[in-house]
Amino acid sequence: MILAVDVGGTKLAAARVSPEGAIVETRRAATPQDADAETLWRALREVIGPLSDGVAGVGVGCGGPMEWPSGVVSPLNIPGWRGFPLRARLSGLFPGVPVRVHNDAICLAVAEHWRGAGRGVADMLGMVVSTGVGGGLVLGGRLVDGGTGNAGHIGHVVVDPDGGPPCGCGGHGCLEAVARGPALTAWALGRGWTPGDPAAQGDYQEERAVTARTLAADARAGDEVAVAAMSRAGRALGIAIASATHLCDLDLVTIGGGLSQAGEPLFGPLEEALREHARMAFARRLRVVPASLGQDAGLIGAAALILASDTY
Amino acid sequence: MILAVDVGGTKLAAARVSPEGAIVETRRAATPQDADAETLWRALREVIGPLSDGVAGVGVGCGGPMEWPSGVVSPLNIPGWRGFPLRARLSGLFPGVPVRVHNDAICLAVAEHWRGAGRGVADMLGMVVSTGVGGGLVLGGRLVDGGTGNAGHIGHVVVDPDGGPPCGCGGHGCLEAVARGPALTAWALGRGWTPGDPAAQGDYQEERAVTARTLAADARAGDEVAVAAMSRAGRALGIAIASATHLCDLDLVTIGGGLSQAGEPLFGPLEEALREHARMAFARRLRVVPASLGQDAGLIGAAALILASDTY
């Protein structure tokens, strides 16, 4: 058995995974908010403790940034961990077994390539469009880490160099500045959008809140501002993906995260902008599809870091 | 000995290269213009004929597009070759030895990584800024081919999606549409630039013509329109390189081709735009330097396809 761990700003998750890659048992807990480093570590130990018997390897996806491959993490959304030696601590708990830590967006891309929509594809970008916009690159059938483990950061591909909004990175006009969920909802709220009738929104509590999911549902229902917001995000995604496929000669892009189920209001304008800009003959084969794995994707990708370490 | 071949729209070049990578003998000829496929093939045979004794492998860089790795080439600048089976023909001349054909821009990137400014670097983009804008990617110390041998096409990264000029690829706002030599000179001519005093331009005949080299020299001499043209190209390059390094987590970009010696008027605005947009911590280490190899770079890269085929 190996242990897969997914560390996020709102949730800590872990799973026992069989050598064949099947998730045998999963445990989850809320990430303690405003907690110090040791409180966070204790919370993580409580999640993984009952899963620890006979563990032969530990794979971890964690929010960035981090020092890679040493696994000293400083997740943006976990302020209590700044320079926290997550990999070393886990090696202390599981002496003598391999422990690998990688960026969470990379684990999601790895999961889609290993077990999801990208299975068997040689050259793909696995994206996540959520609070942030990130991704991971698989080229020639192997994960590309980049010099510091940060390859795949498509959120900071420039899509609007002159007029684009400021980005959290300090730049402006990045894809993430346009297409991250909070940017989308802020743009729509500023133009008079109010989240639609809760009864029309489906099963999830969060869909009644000011989220990109609600916005996407309202766009599907025809709300004009919501449609415009989704179209703006879709265009930005299409432009960035055109740049990425010209640079990396891709077969496939998968889109996961909160917006992956947004449907036509997002994917229509995305495809249109992509076909407008991805004009080299070799770029035309590119397919863009929603990610196919659900909430366990991060754990599956983390498991692959150990179970398929020759590829990832 | 191996044979290295560089097929371009204006020039055919070939060299005998020692197993250690030293160029022993080089031959060049003008590419026949308006010639049919067999005339072009005879011209190439005349160049390589005297270099053919005891050849143990053939590496070829050729203008794209091409089918890769089969080496069926249709170089944009050689209209007489459309679907020409260059690799198969060379295999016929040199039976039983490996023959590899790759895009010329990729050979230039390979050369810089193998023997030039990128030696020892794990993650780099080797660019060429000339009549077109192209490149090749080395990630994790290995050449990235992409699914169809076209990875590295940074010329079609989008730098100005809304207002950008039309591009030869059919899109608009691509880096190449802004920064290729003919686009630069056309932009400057349209704003009143006339190529400066020939005596001030240096040794090369071509520098007295309407070329990007002349424009760069005039910019260095302070011509206002030339300065603005170089600044515009530099900014476009900086934006595209920012996108590339966020996506691929690079250590180094090398810039070869006619503009590589343009100096401060190009590289100043390039650095400024790069630092404005490459703001993620991991992107700040990126260095951008002129390519260090001269006119033999294409041959050196072609040789590497055989002599260092485990890396390239």
Side-chain angles (χ1 to χ4, degrees):
Chain A
M1 287 292 162
I2 68 110
L3 179 67
V5 181
D6 187 8
V7 176
T10 57
K11 201 179 58 188
L12 304 172
R16 284 173 72 81
V17 182
S18 76
E20 295 74 35
I23 291 184
V24 175
E25 185 185 351
T26 306
R27 287 170 49 86
R28 291 190 158 77
T31 306
Q33 300 298 302
D34 305 316
D36 64 17
E38 295 308 321
T39 304
L40 286 157
W41 173 241
R42 271 196 307 276
L44 183 61
R45 284 190 62 169
E46 278 169 29
V47 172
I48 65 182
L51 306 172
S52 297
D53 271 1
V55 161
V58 182
V60 184
C62 182
M66 69 177 60
E67 292 170 28
W68 175 92
S70 67
V72 176
V73 304
S74 307
L76 271 184
N77 299 326
I78 308 182
W81 276 357
R82 285 293 171 271
F84 184 77
L86 180 59
R87 186 183 181 191
R89 290 290 186 98
L90 288 165
S91 286
L93 279 188
F94 300 96
V97 311
V99 177
R100 290 187 66 200
V101 179
H102 222 317
N103 284 284
D104 50 4
I106 284 184
C107 286
L108 292 174
V110 161
E112 288 299 323
H113 186 255
W114 194 44
R115 290 288 191 260
R119 213 186 290 211
V121 168
D123 298 276
M124 71 167 265
L125 172 67
M127 291 180 63
V128 53
V129 184
S130 179
T131 311
V133 176
L137 272 175
V138 172
L139 298 178
R142 297 173 58 90
L143 176 66
V144 170
D145 297 304
T148 64
N150 282 294
H153 259 91
I154 192 169
H156 302 280
V157 163
V158 181
V159 296
D160 191 357
D162 296 318
C167 183
C169 71
H172 56 100
C174 300
L175 171 62
E176 179 169 289
V178 178
R180 68 192 285 259
L184 269 180
T185 52
W187 188 90
L189 288 169
R191 279 154 190 82
W193 171 65
T194 49
D197 173 16
Q201 305 303 328
D203 297 333
Y204 297 102
Q205 180 69 27
E206 61 178 327
E207 291 202 3
R208 291 190 280 272
V210 175
T211 67
R213 275 178 210 256
T214 319
L215 188 67
D218 285 3
R220 285 193 299 271
D223 179 288
E224 206 169 295
V225 172
V227 166
M230 284 293 146
S231 173
R232 180 167 170 269
R235 279 197 64 77
L237 286 161
I239 291 165
I241 292 170
S243 289
T245 202
H246 281 144
L247 191 59
C248 297
D249 192 8
L250 301 169
D251 300 314
L252 182 74
V253 170
T254 62
I255 298 190
L259 279 182
S260 61
Q261 303 307 315
E264 177 61 23
L266 185 79
F267 283 86
L270 186 161
E271 278 288 335
E272 194 181 321
L274 175 62
R275 299 311 158 191
E276 182 183 329
H277 286 286
R279 296 298 277 268
M280 297 290 282
F282 72 85
R284 293 179 197 160
R285 75 184 189 282
L286 180 70
R287 292 180 303 122
V288 180
V289 302
S292 72
L293 301 173
Q295 66 167 357
D296 285 341
L299 292 171
I300 292 168
L305 297 178
I306 299 297
L307 292 174
S309 60
D310 50 337
T311 304
Y312 308 111
Chain B
M1 286 294 162
I2 69 110
L3 179 67
V5 181
D6 187 8
V7 176
T10 59
K11 203 179 56 189
L12 304 172
R16 283 173 73 82
V17 182
S18 76
E20 295 73 35
I23 291 184
V24 175
E25 186 185 350
T26 307
R27 288 169 50 87
R28 292 191 158 75
T31 307
Q33 300 299 303
D34 305 315
D36 65 17
E38 295 308 321
T39 305
L40 287 157
W41 173 241
R42 272 196 305 277
L44 183 61
R45 284 189 63 169
E46 277 168 29
V47 171
I48 65 182
L51 305 172
S52 298
D53 270 2
V55 161
V58 183
V60 184
C62 182
M66 69 177 61
E67 292 171 29
W68 174 93
S70 68
V72 176
V73 304
S74 307
L76 270 185
N77 299 325
I78 308 182
W81 276 357
R82 286 292 171 273
F84 185 77
L86 180 59
R87 187 184 181 190
R89 290 290 186 97
L90 287 165
S91 287
L93 280 188
F94 300 96
V97 310
V99 177
R100 289 187 65 202
V101 178
H102 222 316
N103 284 285
D104 50 3
I106 284 184
C107 286
L108 293 173
V110 161
E112 288 299 322
H113 186 255
W114 194 44
R115 290 289 191 259
R119 214 186 289 213
V121 168
D123 298 276
M124 72 167 264
L125 171 68
M127 290 179 64
V128 54
V129 184
S130 178
T131 311
V133 176
L137 272 175
V138 173
L139 299 178
R142 296 174 58 90
L143 176 66
V144 171
D145 297 305
T148 65
N150 281 294
H153 259 90
I154 192 169
H156 302 279
V157 163
V158 181
V159 296
D160 190 357
D162 296 319
C167 183
C169 70
H172 55 100
C174 300
L175 172 61
E176 180 170 288
V178 177
R180 69 191 285 259
L184 270 181
T185 52
W187 189 89
L189 288 168
R191 278 154 190 82
W193 172 64
T194 50
D197 174 14
Q201 305 303 328
D203 297 333
Y204 297 102
Q205 181 69 27
E206 62 176 331
E207 290 202 1
R208 292 190 278 273
V210 176
T211 67
R213 275 178 210 255
T214 319
L215 189 67
D218 284 3
R220 285 193 300 272
D223 179 287
E224 207 169 292
V225 173
V227 166
M230 284 293 146
S231 172
R232 181 168 168 270
R235 278 197 65 77
L237 286 161
I239 291 165
I241 292 170
S243 289
T245 202
H246 280 144
L247 191 59
C248 297
D249 191 7
L250 302 169
D251 299 315
L252 182 74
V253 171
T254 62
I255 298 190
L259 279 182
S260 62
Q261 303 307 316
E264 177 61 23
L266 185 78
F267 283 86
L270 186 162
E271 279 288 335
E272 194 180 322
L274 175 62
R275 299 311 158 189
E276 182 182 330
H277 286 286
R279 298 297 277 269
M280 297 290 281
F282 72 85
R284 293 180 197 159
R285 75 185 190 282
L286 179 71
R287 292 180 302 121
V288 180
V289 303
S292 73
L293 301 173
Q295 68 166 354
D296 285 340
L299 292 170
I300 293 168
L305 296 179
I306 300 297
L307 293 173
S309 59
D310 51 337
T311 304
Y312 308 111

